[in-house]
């Protein structure tokens, strides 16, 4: 989950002289290429995806990565990290609304309570203090990112996808390449200064290249093997909690009473969503994933 937390991006790229695009876009494309080459090399030809599966995986990459993460990169340039994190955390809410509005899959009482508790706790945890007026373009970018991410997770579950490895590779390669193309035509590559690159930054890139691939694979697997679409999206609530606890354990950062209360509220909301997902799983037919939905893709 910490790896998927890249959608709560840091601002290092804004201070080291490079465009924000350098922080994540090359990593996405490199991971996609490496994973795709590995799949083509190791998996037999019969396990390779059909044309429709390639297209479905590419669609998820456009929505979840290019739209979801790309718009976060754009919007975070105008907003604080706290506001960005709070707006990104609306992904589970958008997911529930889209499932309800399009597929009439209404969240039950436990799921609804979990969504509201999680968002309320996150608002308490990272509520910005002393903020002036918010930049409208930044807010629109982040909210659009959350909406597209929600649509991408639903498409991942409700379309005919290849295996998890293939699907994740195509998603990262498609989304990263699209973001790279947009950045090129916006002239962002002219802002790249190799003299600003440090050994620490290169080590971080190598670390992210391998570790975050695991996060995307796990997220993709969870979206396809859990009964509730909202359960994997609890990452949006849990990531800030993990960040606070790591800051306390590793960096010695203090945990205030407000933080403690917020963490309790967030985890209570996650418990409600887990219980709701467990009940939904028990109500689901033994055949597992609804095949009729996949056949419509």
């Amino acid at each position: 989950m910490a790896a998927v937390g890249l959608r709560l991006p840091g601002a290092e790229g804004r201070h080291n002289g490079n465009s924000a695009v350098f922080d994540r876009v090359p990593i996405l494309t490199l991971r996609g290429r490496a994973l795709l080459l590995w799949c083509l090399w190791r998996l037999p030809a019969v396990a390779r995806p059909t044309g429709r599966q390639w297209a479905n995986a590419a669609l998820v990459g456009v929505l979840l990565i290019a739209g979801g993460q790309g718009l976060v990169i754009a919007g975070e340039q105008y907003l604080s990290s706290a506001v960005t994190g709070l707006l990104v955390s609306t992904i589970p809410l958008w997911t529930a609304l889209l499932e309800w509005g399009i597929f009439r899959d209404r969240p039950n009482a436990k799921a609804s309570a979990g969504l509201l508790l999680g968002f309320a706790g996150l608002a308490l945890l990272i509520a910005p203090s002393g903020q002036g007026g918010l930049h409208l373009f930044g807010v629109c970018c982040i909210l659009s990112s959350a909406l597209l991410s929600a649509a991408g997770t639903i498409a991942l579950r409700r379309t005919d996808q290849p295996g998890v490895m293939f699907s994740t590779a195509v998603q990262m390669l498609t989304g990263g390449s699209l973001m790279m193309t947009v950045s090129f035509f916006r002239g962002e590559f002219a802002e790249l200064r190799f003299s600003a690159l440090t050994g620490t930054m290169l080590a971080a890139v190598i670390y992210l290249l391998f570790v975050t691939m695991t996060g995307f694979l796990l997220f993709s697997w969870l979206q396809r093997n859990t009964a509730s679409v909202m359960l994997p999206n609890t990452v949006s609530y849990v990531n800030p909690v993990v960040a606070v606890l790591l800051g306390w354990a590793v960096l010695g950062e203090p945990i205030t009473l407000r933080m403690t209360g917020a963490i309790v509220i967030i985890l209570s909301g996650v418990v409600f969503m887990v219980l709701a997902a467990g009940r939904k799983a028990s109500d689901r037919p033994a055949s597992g994933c609804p095949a009729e939905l996949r056949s419509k893709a």
Side-chain angles (χ1 to χ4, degrees):
M1 283 189 292
V4 182
L6 277 174
R7 67 171 49 136
L8 296 181
E12 181 183 356
R14 280 174 261 169
H15 303 293
N16 61 17
N18 287 320
S19 168
V21 71
F22 185 79
D23 291 344
R24 275 144 292 169
V25 175
I27 297 174
L28 287 168
T29 53
L30 286 173
R31 283 182 308 196
R33 290 174 183 175
L35 188 57
L36 184 59
L37 288 174
W38 188 90
C39 290
L40 293 173
W41 174 51
R42 295 290 297 176
L43 298 180
V46 293
R48 295 177 184 176
T50 64
R52 173 175 292 184
Q53 289 175 329
W54 278 94
N56 290 337
L59 173 63
V60 174
V62 171
L63 293 172
L64 193 60
I65 295 180
Q69 294 202 21
L71 287 174
V72 169
I73 295 175
E76 69 175 344
Q77 309 302 311
Y78 305 94
L79 301 172
S80 68
S81 297
V83 173
T84 299
L86 187 59
L87 294 177
V88 168
S89 71
T90 60
I91 291 175
L93 301 176
W94 286 115
T95 304
L97 290 175
L98 289 176
E99 283 275 304
W100 187 7
I102 299 175
F103 301 103
R104 305 302 178 191
D105 189 0
R106 181 178 180 177
N108 58 33
K110 287 183 179 179
S112 300
L115 284 169
L116 295 177
L117 279 173
F119 185 74
L122 193 60
L124 178 63
L125 178 65
I126 60 177
S129 58
Q131 286 284 333
L134 297 179
H135 198 286
L136 180 59
F137 177 75
V139 171
C140 290
C141 282
I142 304 299
L143 287 179
S144 298
S145 162
L147 178 59
L148 290 175
S149 294
T153 59
I154 293 174
L156 181 60
R157 295 175 64 91
R158 292 184 175 268
T159 59
D160 183 20
Q161 294 284 325
V164 172
M165 300 281 284
F166 257 118
S167 178
T168 304
V170 175
Q171 291 167 33
M172 290 190 294
L173 184 58
T174 304
S177 298
L178 181 57
M179 292 164 67
M180 230 14 158
T181 302
V182 172
S183 298
F184 175 79
F185 283 106
R186 292 187 72 248
E188 293 185 356
F189 282 84
E191 302 175 27
L192 179 62
R193 294 203 296 267
F194 288 98
S195 60
L197 302 182
T198 64
T200 302
M201 187 175 181
L202 291 176
V205 169
I206 295 173
Y207 169 81
L208 291 172
L209 177 63
F210 293 101
V211 176
T212 58
M213 185 183 297
T214 305
F216 275 102
L217 287 170
L218 288 174
F219 182 77
S220 181
W221 184 87
L222 283 171
Q223 282 290 0
R224 297 166 62 170
N225 291 275
T226 54
S228 172
V229 68
M230 290 182 294
L231 186 59
N233 282 330
T234 56
V235 64
S236 300
Y237 294 158
V238 177
N239 267 339
V241 175
V242 174
V244 169
L245 294 178
L246 285 178
W248 167 75
V250 179
L251 302 177
E253 296 176 347
I255 296 182
T256 64
L257 183 61
R258 188 184 78 169
M259 289 180 177
T260 303
I263 290 173
V264 171
I265 294 173
I266 291 171
L267 295 182
S268 299
V270 172
V271 168
F272 271 103
M273 283 187 275
V274 170
L275 292 175
R279 180 175 179 179
K280 188 172 182 179
S282 65
D283 294 338
R284 192 169 62 167
S287 57
C289 184
E292 69 274 12
L293 294 175
R294 291 180 174 269
S295 63
K296 294 179 181 179

